[in-house]
Amino acid sequence: MMSKLVLLLALPLAASGLVITKELNIAQACVAEDLGNRAKVQNKLAGICEDMCKEVGAYPKCAQCPDFVAPDSTPGVVTWDELLEHMDNLAAWGQDELKSWHKTASALQTVKQVITQSETACVAADMQHRAKFQNKLAGICEDMCKEVGAYPKCAQCPDFVAPDSTPGVMTW
């Protein structure tokens, strides 16, 4: 009987513990949702924060804006720190440019070797075509000279033999 009484007394306490735990979970969920909504609003406002500062006349003192970078306090004047930073940037840029130039130069050298081999092959093929063409023309060279009225002055024709300058006359 005593155990039933203890059980009856403990039951409301356990139930209230469940209610308290459930209320804590709900409260934690609400806090987490609220933080998420606040983050969304802040992210939305982050892009227009500087604009709002300008409208209310607080610009350039916008330190409360996320990712705010203050404008140059000495416009048109290069300070020593700015000059040294610029020189560092130039040095890094120069090294990057040299690397890219080396890559380009090595690629060009490879292409040049291919072109040189290709050019040599083209020159040899061209010479063969020219020789065939000249041989073809050699047979008709005298005929062309006759057509243009240059015959018998056809010294440019290969293997040309000038005709006898005194036909029918026997010369010793």
Side-chain angles (χ1 to χ4, degrees):
M1 174 89 132
M2 184 67 143
S3 63
K4 289 183 181 178
L5 183 63
V6 171
L7 186 60
L8 284 175
L9 290 174
L11 189 59
L13 289 175
S16 68
L18 287 175
V19 170
I20 291 172
T21 304
K22 189 175 183 181
E23 287 176 4
L24 282 176
N25 287 341
I26 292 172
Q28 288 174 345
C30 287
V31 168
E33 186 178 346
D34 183 54
L35 286 175
N37 289 335
R38 286 177 186 230
K40 287 179 183 177
V41 169
Q42 287 176 345
N43 288 337
K44 187 76 169 176
L45 292 177
I48 59 171
C49 186
E50 285 186 46
D51 295 333
M52 290 190 319
C53 284
K54 289 176 183 175
E55 286 181 18
V56 297
Y59 190 81
K61 297 175 184 163
C62 298
Q64 69 276 12
C65 293
D67 299 328
F68 176 73
V69 177
D72 190 7
S73 60
T74 58
V77 177
V78 178
T79 63
W80 283 107
D81 292 334
E82 291 172 338
L83 178 63
L84 294 174
E85 180 183 354
H86 183 65
M87 290 174 68
D88 289 340
N89 293 340
L90 282 177
W93 172 80
Q95 291 169 350
D96 292 341
E97 287 297 307
L98 285 175
K99 288 177 187 175
S100 70
W101 291 345
H102 284 292
K103 288 179 185 176
T104 304
S106 64
L108 288 176
Q109 287 175 346
T110 303
V111 170
K112 178 64 177 168
Q113 289 173 354
V114 170
I115 289 173
T116 302
Q117 293 169 354
S118 170
E119 271 183 29
T120 305
C122 287
V123 168
D126 185 52
M127 291 301 289
Q128 287 177 348
H129 293 305
R130 286 179 183 220
K132 286 180 183 177
F133 184 72
Q134 287 175 347
N135 289 336
K136 186 79 161 177
L137 288 178
I140 60 170
C141 186
E142 285 185 46
D143 296 333
M144 288 191 315
C145 284
K146 289 176 182 173
E147 285 182 24
V148 296
Y151 191 81
K153 298 176 184 163
C154 298
Q156 69 273 16
C157 292
D159 299 328
F160 177 72
V161 177
D164 189 7
S165 60
T166 58
V169 176
M170 183 75 106
T171 59
W172 297 98

